[in-house]
Amino acid sequence: MFSNTRTTRIEWGDCDPAGIIYYVRYFEIFDVSTTMLLERAMGMKKIQYLKAYNFLGHPVAETRAKFRRPTRFGDEVAIETQVVAVGRSSIKLEHRLTHNGALAVEGSETRVWAVRDPNDPARVRSEPIPAEIAERLRNAPVSAG
Amino acid sequence: MFSNTRTTRIEWGDCDPAGIIYYVRYFEIFDVSTTMLLERAMGMKKIQYLKAYNFLGHPVAETRAKFRRPTRFGDEVAIETQVVAVGRSSIKLEHRLTHNGALAVEGSETRVWAVRDPNDPARVRSEPIPAEIAERLRNAPVSAG
Amino acid sequence: MFSNTRTTRIEWGDCDPAGIIYYVRYFEIFDVSTTMLLERAMGMKKIQYLKAYNFLGHPVAETRAKFRRPTRFGDEVAIETQVVAVGRSSIKLEHRLTHNGALAVEGSETRVWAVRDPNDPARVRSEPIPAEIAERLRNAPVSAG
Amino acid sequence: MFSNTRTTRIEWGDCDPAGIIYYVRYFEIFDVSTTMLLERAMGMKKIQYLKAYNFLGHPVAETRAKFRRPTRFGDEVAIETQVVAVGRSSIKLEHRLTHNGALAVEGSETRVWAVRDPNDPARVRSEPIPAEIAERLRNAPVSAG
């Protein structure tokens, strides 16, 4: 299935008075990784694919994370994100965040393909993932090389 | 076991371009609720209990959340937090966030009682929760009335 | 002119490894105060007044802040917000954040009344503030007593 | 004087229900740029230079920003940061954030060299900037080429 790896840096403003990352920031890091993976799979930026497919976003239905080692400001970390299941209107992803090769955090999330309810624009509802998107998410990305 | 309920308001800056809360913000809301519960259980503010017990904090070892209905800026929400297990050096808590009585988010988290490693101040390690704290967390709070 | 005072609490997740508030959080605090003031002036929640007046928001054109004393997690702070000028399509506000009566931060901001450009929905432009809103912002709020 | 340029990307979680960046996020972006500039000037990561010089940080005494054009999620932006004054115990920096070459935000900030008050560890006070650091900040960085 589709996967993506990126690196980022833990910053001062991400850390708390214990001197380590405030754990909430990891979910922002994972959200960026998921966006990056989906942008690569769809071949468009998020701002473009929301328009192209007339959908509202891919809200998280459920997420969990295990924090195995703390990270600190200045740490360069790598985040590997992998699609692990593609359902009718949802996908499941897993994240592994490592620092110097050691696993620091494991995360997983289930996202739904969300559209505005045509009968009530204030409501959001799920819709089947378009077949060509589901197909691309089920396959490994084409190597850049 | 100990529990705490509080209310807060979802703000503009908590919401994303889909017009609903950016899900990451819920973890900040839950973290504040846990602090409030522990402050009530210990009878001190966090800044005081960290000093009184010479510990670094209560980092999250694992957390999960299910997002059932979105909330929007201006929504007044209630968060009920409940201790569900008190272990040797960890506690488990559950959160239920409701809007107008309807369940919007369920969260759970496991926290450890963390101290600085005396052999290596750059490391954090867990330690048994002091008996009187464990005792208070196992009992329902005394009613204010 | 219109003013508003509210209180809030500085939380663990707002603070940085120096143990004091990460200064960026003050701008979120000020933004919430401005929303609260405008909601009181308009007699509606923001989600309602955006719809009622068909505008996009009141983006900040310029802001500044002076940080006089640090605050720490657990500090209860008060924020006094005051409209100081009402222009054709902009307003200027000032904030004073105090802790135990001592001034911790002074902030000011200029906001514009922003609508979607009818010729290009991707663009935002300013528009005159409706006369009745400008009128209310120029006057002191009616006391709750 | 010393300067630094970096690029970053505006993310979904940085944007608000108007679909544009929530202005508060710019201050986080500027803070990261200042850290990067100081790390280059000192030749060490922040976590190392705080220890090497036994100081607490470089808190902001005053900051301001002018927001000229909004940015949106997916926008790649460049941030040019320049030291404009080096005082006895403070420095002033200016930031210019551009998108596709157009100026989006101008910011400035004054930072102080802060240490823990030896007479009262709960207090922070300023101290003269070490001469070699002041010297490096006053000079243009050595080109990588």
Side-chain angles (χ1 to χ4, degrees):
Chain A
M1 300 231 187
F2 214 90
S3 67
N4 186 64
T5 300
R6 69 180 187 104
T7 58
T8 192
R9 197 177 114 118
I10 309 303
E11 299 292 347
W12 174 262
D14 296 325
C15 295
D16 67 21
I20 60 175
I21 194 173
Y22 181 52
Y23 73 105
V24 173
R25 305 294 162 237
Y26 284 123
F27 292 100
E28 294 186 23
I29 290 173
F30 291 155
D31 186 51
V32 171
S33 287
T34 295
T35 295
M36 194 172 292
L37 181 151
L38 292 171
E39 290 185 338
R40 284 183 59 223
M42 299 201 206
M44 283 179 257
K45 283 192 175 186
K46 183 168 184 173
I47 204 166
Q48 294 164 328
Y49 68 62
L50 293 185
K51 200 177 288 184
Y53 291 94
N54 193 29
F55 80 127
L56 258 181
H58 27 72
V60 174
E62 182 169 359
T63 189
R64 61 189 302 172
K66 287 192 189 184
F67 308 97
R68 300 198 174 281
R69 291 155 179 267
T71 57
R72 290 177 176 73
F73 56 104
D75 286 353
E76 300 280 349
V77 298
I79 309 104
E80 251 184 272
T81 299
Q82 171 82 47
V83 176
V84 293
V86 180
R88 192 175 165 275
S89 57
S90 70
I91 56 172
K92 190 171 174 188
L93 301 113
E94 286 180 1
H95 307 279
R96 283 171 55 87
L97 185 146
T98 55
H99 177 229
N100 290 339
L103 181 64
V105 189
E106 287 170 291
S108 69
E109 67 197 34
T110 303
R111 302 240 175 196
V112 296
W113 187 272
V115 295
R116 226 177 264 292
D117 189 324
N119 301 316
D120 178 358
R123 297 189 68 87
V124 172
R125 56 159 221 210
S126 65
E127 211 175 60
I129 299 174
E132 77 272 23
I133 302 301
E135 183 58 23
R136 282 192 225 165
L137 291 170
R138 280 192 196 98
N139 290 294
V142 176
S143 152
Chain B
M1 299 231 190
F2 214 90
S3 67
N4 186 62
T5 300
R6 70 180 188 103
T7 58
T8 192
R9 198 179 113 120
I10 308 305
E11 298 293 347
W12 174 262
D14 297 326
C15 295
D16 67 21
I20 60 176
I21 194 173
Y22 181 53
Y23 73 104
V24 174
R25 304 295 162 235
Y26 285 123
F27 292 100
E28 293 186 24
I29 291 173
F30 292 155
D31 186 51
V32 171
S33 287
T34 295
T35 295
M36 194 173 291
L37 182 150
L38 291 171
E39 290 185 337
R40 283 183 60 222
M42 299 201 206
M44 284 180 256
K45 285 193 176 185
K46 183 169 183 173
I47 205 166
Q48 295 163 328
Y49 68 61
L50 294 185
K51 198 176 288 184
Y53 291 95
N54 193 29
F55 80 129
L56 258 182
H58 27 73
V60 174
E62 182 169 1
T63 188
R64 61 188 303 173
K66 288 192 188 186
F67 308 97
R68 301 198 174 281
R69 293 154 177 266
T71 57
R72 288 174 177 74
F73 56 104
D75 286 353
E76 300 280 349
V77 299
I79 310 104
E80 251 184 86
T81 300
Q82 171 83 47
V83 177
V84 293
V86 180
R88 192 173 164 276
S89 58
S90 71
I91 55 172
K92 190 170 174 190
L93 301 114
E94 286 179 0
H95 307 279
R96 283 170 56 86
L97 185 145
T98 54
H99 177 229
N100 289 340
L103 181 64
V105 189
E106 288 171 291
S108 68
E109 66 196 36
T110 301
R111 303 244 175 192
V112 296
W113 186 273
V115 295
R116 225 177 264 292
D117 189 324
N119 302 316
D120 178 359
R123 297 188 69 86
V124 171
R125 56 160 220 207
S126 65
E127 211 175 60
I129 299 174
E132 76 271 25
I133 303 300
E135 183 59 23
R136 283 191 224 164
L137 291 170
R138 280 193 197 98
N139 291 293
V142 176
S143 150
Chain C
M1 299 229 189
F2 214 90
S3 66
N4 186 64
T5 301
R6 71 180 187 103
T7 57
T8 192
R9 198 177 113 118
I10 308 304
E11 298 292 349
W12 174 262
D14 297 325
C15 293
D16 66 21
I20 60 176
I21 193 173
Y22 182 52
Y23 73 105
V24 173
R25 305 295 163 236
Y26 284 124
F27 292 100
E28 293 186 24
I29 291 173
F30 292 156
D31 186 51
V32 171
S33 287
T34 295
T35 295
M36 193 174 292
L37 182 150
L38 291 170
E39 289 186 337
R40 284 183 58 223
M42 298 201 206
M44 283 179 257
K45 282 191 176 187
K46 184 169 183 172
I47 205 165
Q48 295 163 327
Y49 69 61
L50 294 185
K51 198 176 289 185
Y53 291 94
N54 194 29
F55 80 127
L56 258 182
H58 27 73
V60 174
E62 182 170 358
T63 189
R64 63 189 301 172
K66 288 191 189 185
F67 308 97
R68 301 197 174 282
R69 293 155 178 266
T71 57
R72 287 176 177 75
F73 55 105
D75 286 353
E76 299 280 349
V77 299
I79 310 103
E80 251 185 271
T81 300
Q82 171 84 46
V83 177
V84 294
V86 180
R88 192 173 165 277
S89 58
S90 70
I91 56 171
K92 190 171 174 188
L93 301 114
E94 286 179 2
H95 306 279
R96 283 171 56 85
L97 185 147
T98 55
H99 176 229
N100 289 340
L103 181 64
V105 189
E106 288 170 291
S108 69
E109 66 196 35
T110 302
R111 302 242 174 194
V112 296
W113 187 272
V115 295
R116 228 177 260 292
D117 189 325
N119 301 315
D120 178 359
R123 297 189 69 86
V124 171
R125 57 159 219 209
S126 65
E127 211 175 58
I129 299 174
E132 77 272 22
I133 302 300
E135 183 58 24
R136 281 192 225 165
L137 291 170
R138 280 192 196 98
N139 290 294
V142 176
S143 151
Chain D
M1 300 232 189
F2 214 90
S3 67
N4 187 63
T5 299
R6 70 180 188 104
T7 58
T8 193
R9 196 178 114 120
I10 309 303
E11 299 292 349
W12 174 263
D14 297 326
C15 294
D16 66 21
I20 60 176
I21 192 173
Y22 181 52
Y23 73 104
V24 173
R25 305 294 163 235
Y26 284 124
F27 292 101
E28 293 186 23
I29 291 173
F30 292 155
D31 186 51
V32 171
S33 287
T34 294
T35 295
M36 193 173 292
L37 182 150
L38 291 171
E39 290 185 339
R40 283 183 59 224
M42 299 200 206
M44 283 179 257
K45 284 193 176 185
K46 184 169 182 171
I47 204 165
Q48 295 163 327
Y49 68 60
L50 294 185
K51 198 176 290 186
Y53 292 94
N54 193 30
F55 81 128
L56 257 182
H58 27 73
V60 174
E62 183 169 359
T63 189
R64 61 189 302 172
K66 288 192 188 184
F67 308 96
R68 300 197 175 282
R69 293 155 177 267
T71 58
R72 287 174 178 74
F73 56 104
D75 286 352
E76 299 280 348
V77 298
I79 309 103
E80 251 185 87
T81 300
Q82 171 82 48
V83 177
V84 293
V86 180
R88 191 174 165 276
S89 57
S90 70
I91 56 171
K92 191 172 173 187
L93 301 114
E94 285 179 2
H95 307 279
R96 283 170 56 86
L97 185 146
T98 55
H99 177 229
N100 290 339
L103 181 64
V105 189
E106 289 170 291
S108 68
E109 67 196 36
T110 302
R111 302 242 175 193
V112 296
W113 187 273
V115 295
R116 224 177 265 292
D117 189 324
N119 301 315
D120 178 0
R123 299 187 69 85
V124 172
R125 57 160 219 209
S126 65
E127 210 174 60
I129 299 173
E132 77 272 22
I133 302 300
E135 183 58 22
R136 283 191 224 165
L137 292 170
R138 280 193 195 96
N139 291 294
V142 176
S143 152

